[in-house]
Amino acid sequence: MAIQKDLQESKFGVSFSGAYFRIATGAITRTRDDINKHLVLIDVVGFATQPSENTSEVDFRRYHTSLENIESLEGSTFLEKCYKWVMTQPDMAGSIAV
């Protein structure tokens, strides 16, 4: 699973057409909040192209949401649902699953 999106700007000062994003971390934490007892942290790393072992990132994004938001999505695995949720975020508008 991965996400493809055009990056209009990067930390290198250039754009990357068809940048390749993948989830590097998906973690569930428990809180003391009675409404949102479980939160999900998702780290997404972007590469200029599909990475190999020596490819460096060109973008990094961190997201937080309730576990309910992830579990409410269609998908057979937690990771698949995380990818679908990330693609709905405003900064990932126009992204496609690859």
Side-chain angles (χ1 to χ4, degrees), residues 50-97:
Q50 187 170 354
S52 65
E53 291 300 317
N54 296 319
T55 307
S56 294
E57 68 186 56
V58 297
D59 195 70
F60 176 85
R61 299 165 190 222
R62 175 167 278 176
Y63 302 96
H64 297 88
T65 189
S66 70
L67 182 58
E68 278 184 0
N69 287 341
I70 300 296
E71 289 184 333
S72 69
L73 297 173
E74 296 277 330
S76 57
T77 66
F78 174 73
L79 189 58
E80 181 182 359
K81 292 176 182 185
C82 287
Y83 271 102
K84 287 184 177 183
W85 184 86
V86 167
M87 290 177 63
T88 66
Q89 300 313 293
D91 64 343
M92 293 300 277
S95 63
I96 59 170

Side-chain angles (χ1 to χ4, degrees), residues 20-37:
Y20 183 93
F21 291 84
R22 63 181 176 197
I23 293 176
T25 306
I28 300 170
T29 58
R30 185 174 172 89
T31 70
R32 293 181 180 194
D33 185 335
D34 288 336
I35 297 171
N36 290 311
K37 285 192 183 254

